[in-house]
Amino acid sequence: MTIPVTSLDQLNLAFADRFNARDLDGLMALNTSDVVFVPAPGTAVTGTAAVRGALEQFLGLNLPISMRVRHVFESAGTGLAIADWTITGTGPDGSEIALAGTTADVAVHDEVHGWRYAVDNPFGTA
């Protein structure tokens, strides 16, 4: 079992840690059961299988992600996390990859699961 995220400012960093460890189950544990994931600007997916598939595609790049938390705001168990991220390097096919974005993630907190994504929107400003 993965350790719950107890502080909102650690949620995006936990994502980066699990992403860099290629821990798909750990990434999935950071989501509510009805999470909305936005793997491309303006394109949302829901449901465990679709979210898992989209995360697998990102992990398939086999490159690390770097994350810098910019702001977090919370009220009564609901939060907004803003973070800058980059994925750069040479992809599995030999092509150069340079992805970056600024998240706008909505998170919820409960005592059992800690902070988890309700909306994971890595291209939040796009």
Side-chain angles (χ1 to χ4, degrees), residues 52-97:
R52 189 175 189 88
L55 287 169
E56 283 178 322
Q57 286 185 333
F58 279 109
L59 289 175
L61 297 173
N62 203 30
L63 294 170
I65 191 170
S66 65
M67 188 84 63
R68 184 182 65 83
V69 177
R70 191 188 297 185
H71 303 287
V72 294
F73 306 98
E74 59 183 272
S75 174
T78 301
L80 175 66
I82 309 294
D84 300 313
W85 62 270
T86 59
I87 299 174
T88 58
T90 304
D93 65 356
S95 65
E96 288 302 310
I97 295 173

Side-chain angles (χ1 to χ4, degrees), residues 21-35:
R22 306 294 182 254
D23 180 3
L24 183 57
D25 290 333
L27 287 171
M28 292 299 293
L30 292 174
N31 298 322
T32 61
S33 61
D34 57 350
V35 68

